[in-house]
Amino acid sequence: MQLYSYFRSSASFRVRIALELKGLAYDYLPVHLLKNEQLQAPFADLNPTHLIPLLKDGDLTVAQSLAIVEYLDETHPEPPLLPADPAGRARVRGLALDVACEIHPLNNLRVLRYLVKTLGVDDEAKNAWYRHWVEDGLAAVEAQLAGSPATGRFCHGDTPTLADIVLVPQIFNARRMDCRLDHVPTVKRIADHCMTLDAFAKAQPSACPDAQA
Amino acid sequence: MQLYSYFRSSASFRVRIALELKGLAYDYLPVHLLKNEQLQAPFADLNPTHLIPLLKDGDLTVAQSLAIVEYLDETHPEPPLLPADPAGRARVRGLALDVACEIHPLNNLRVLRYLVKTLGVDDEAKNAWYRHWVEDGLAAVEAQLAGSPATGRFCHGDTPTLADIVLVPQIFNARRMDCRLDHVPTVKRIADHCMTLDAFAKAQPSACPDAQA
């Protein structure tokens, strides 16, 4: 398998964690977002959405990080990244989507560029925007985690799932942008626990080939 | 089952379509977003994220529209809303996420409110923002649909899937906001075909009890 990735892309980070948790070897193909390589050949020809990550598995191309993780879970079931019961699966997917749909899309590079270049937003207001969605969004995740007997050492029980895979990269972004985290102790506790696992540590931005280049 | 919904919420619209496709009866519980009912009891006590839709199935509460649709598909498998093969499932989920993660989050009510109230964006710039993400995002969906032999009368083959369930409400929003659609003929053709089905027609905003009140 080949993964098109950028070390700081949190959506790519999700897929890297999943690949490590599954113990799957892959070729790391860097796409430099700040240099707009996602808009140029050869990558742009592969993915009309110009988004990373993108997974190649033989002739098959899979886009969108959550779809990639579900694909990996269906084609390589061990260890499972979703619970076995529909209620548990729904809870894990819901938590993952609370980050993937409510926080991350507001803070990715092209949105921040639009704020600055098209709307003329200054740096201070741009950073406040970033922090607002992260801090508010994580508070909503915290409320669900802290109040539920289903929460364990990880977001759902005592093994990592899709919810942890999506949460941890968001915490990396939050820390890089100096967001408040004192209001989300359960989120912090789980993210810190995840980082004690080899799979999460090996997948982190600073461990990527393009970070070290 | 009970569905907390708002007639104009496109995330709620997705779940209404899925329930109709499955032939599942449900109680419609309106939550008026413009009156901020999502922030007040009783709804706010049920869902700490304050987001609709929310599905109640007995004692279980399921949040996030895509997680709800997957839950319904797992608990009521007929007719299936995802293909049987992992590659097809990945394609359908990827298309759904291209709308649910790349378009919709940028244009929901709370984001538009932040643009106006906190960033002082005027109406014209707000509408341009809205159209930008819709028109660009749908172009990326079009590129995938038009170029693929997997596309049929629907986004994936000749039966409706999660991809159509997410696409159609986005087209309703696009039309309401006068977005360009002439550059996405396959998207338009599929959305129009979906609306010839009873399940999609019954789920549309104008058919909801709170639209008719």
Side-chain angles (χ1 to χ4, degrees):
Chain A
M1 282 189 280
Q2 290 91 42
L3 181 69
Y4 292 85
S5 170
Y6 177 58
F7 71 106
R8 265 194 185 146
S9 152
S10 59
S12 299
F13 189 0
R14 297 170 191 162
V15 176
R16 298 193 304 258
I17 298 167
L19 287 162
E20 294 291 346
L21 284 169
K22 296 286 186 185
L24 297 169
Y26 65 99
D27 301 320
Y28 187 104
L29 302 176
V31 179
H32 201 304
L33 296 189
L34 295 180
K35 293 182 185 164
N36 287 323
E37 288 179 357
Q38 74 280 12
L39 306 178
Q40 302 156 31
F43 183 76
D45 297 334
L46 267 177
N47 189 1
T49 70
H50 304 155
L51 296 170
I52 58 159
L54 188 75
L55 183 78
K56 282 205 74 178
D57 186 9
D59 288 338
L60 182 69
T61 297
V62 188
Q64 281 289 352
S65 60
L66 298 192
I68 298 172
V69 175
E70 296 250 11
Y71 171 80
L72 291 171
D73 207 39
E74 289 176 352
T75 51
H76 300 83
E78 294 301 326
L81 301 179
L82 286 167
D85 60 311
R89 295 164 75 81
R91 179 171 181 268
V92 165
R93 288 191 178 116
L95 287 166
L97 291 163
D98 280 332
V99 174
C101 289
E102 313 302 338
I103 303 176
H104 178 68
L106 297 162
N107 292 344
N108 69 20
L109 189 58
R110 58 189 185 150
V111 172
L112 301 177
R113 280 177 172 165
Y114 191 101
L115 286 176
V116 171
K117 290 188 184 169
T118 305
L119 294 180
V121 167
D122 67 22
D123 253 21
E124 192 179 339
K126 182 190 76 172
N127 292 337
W129 159 282
Y130 195 108
R131 291 189 193 114
H132 172 77
W133 300 115
V134 171
E135 294 172 4
D136 253 39
L138 289 179
V141 173
E142 175 73 20
Q144 292 170 85
L145 291 175
S148 170
T151 306
R153 285 189 293 148
F154 295 91
C155 288
H156 193 82
D158 292 327
T159 54
T161 64
L162 175 66
D164 307 288
I165 286 171
V166 176
L167 185 62
V168 164
Q170 187 60 61
I171 299 305
F172 268 69
N173 283 355
R175 287 186 165 136
R176 192 158 63 86
M177 293 298 288
D178 290 325
C179 299
R180 274 183 62 215
L181 290 175
D182 57 296
H183 64 313
V184 294
T186 316
V187 164
K188 256 176 50 182
R189 190 257 298 160
I190 290 171
D192 289 342
H193 179 61
C194 287
M195 289 309 298
T196 66
L197 269 63
D198 272 357
F200 285 78
K202 281 186 191 169
Q204 68 184 306
S206 61
C208 290
D210 50 343
Q212 299 177 333
Chain B
M1 286 190 277
Q2 289 90 42
L3 181 68
Y4 291 86
S5 171
Y6 177 57
F7 71 107
R8 267 198 184 143
S9 152
S10 59
S12 300
F13 189 0
R14 296 169 191 162
V15 176
R16 298 193 304 259
I17 298 166
L19 287 162
E20 295 290 346
L21 284 169
K22 296 286 185 186
L24 297 168
Y26 65 99
D27 301 320
Y28 187 104
L29 302 175
V31 180
H32 201 305
L33 296 189
L34 295 180
K35 293 182 185 163
N36 286 322
E37 288 180 357
Q38 73 280 13
L39 306 177
Q40 301 156 31
F43 184 76
D45 297 335
L46 267 178
N47 189 0
T49 69
H50 303 155
L51 296 170
I52 57 160
L54 189 75
L55 183 79
K56 283 206 74 180
D57 186 10
D59 287 339
L60 182 69
T61 297
V62 187
Q64 281 289 352
S65 59
L66 298 192
I68 298 172
V69 175
E70 296 251 9
Y71 171 80
L72 291 171
D73 207 40
E74 289 176 354
T75 52
H76 299 84
E78 295 299 329
L81 302 179
L82 287 168
D85 60 308
R89 295 163 76 82
R91 180 171 181 268
V92 165
R93 287 188 178 118
L95 287 166
L97 291 162
D98 280 332
V99 173
C101 289
E102 313 302 337
I103 303 176
H104 178 67
L106 297 162
N107 292 344
N108 69 21
L109 191 59
R110 58 192 185 147
V111 171
L112 301 178
R113 279 177 172 164
Y114 190 101
L115 286 177
V116 172
K117 289 189 184 168
T118 305
L119 295 181
V121 166
D122 65 23
D123 252 22
E124 192 180 340
K126 182 190 78 173
N127 292 338
W129 160 282
Y130 195 107
R131 292 188 193 116
H132 172 77
W133 301 114
V134 171
E135 293 171 6
D136 254 39
L138 289 179
V141 173
E142 175 72 21
Q144 291 170 86
L145 291 175
S148 170
T151 305
R153 284 188 293 150
F154 295 91
C155 287
H156 193 82
D158 292 327
T159 54
T161 64
L162 176 65
D164 306 289
I165 286 171
V166 176
L167 184 62
V168 165
Q170 187 60 62
I171 299 304
F172 267 69
N173 283 354
R175 287 186 163 137
R176 192 158 62 87
M177 293 297 288
D178 290 325
C179 299
R180 272 184 64 214
L181 291 175
D182 56 297
H183 63 315
V184 294
T186 315
V187 164
K188 257 175 50 182
R189 189 257 300 162
I190 290 171
D192 289 342
H193 179 61
C194 286
M195 289 310 298
T196 66
L197 269 64
D198 271 358
F200 285 77
K202 281 185 189 168
Q204 68 184 306
S206 60
C208 290
D210 49 344
Q212 301 178 330

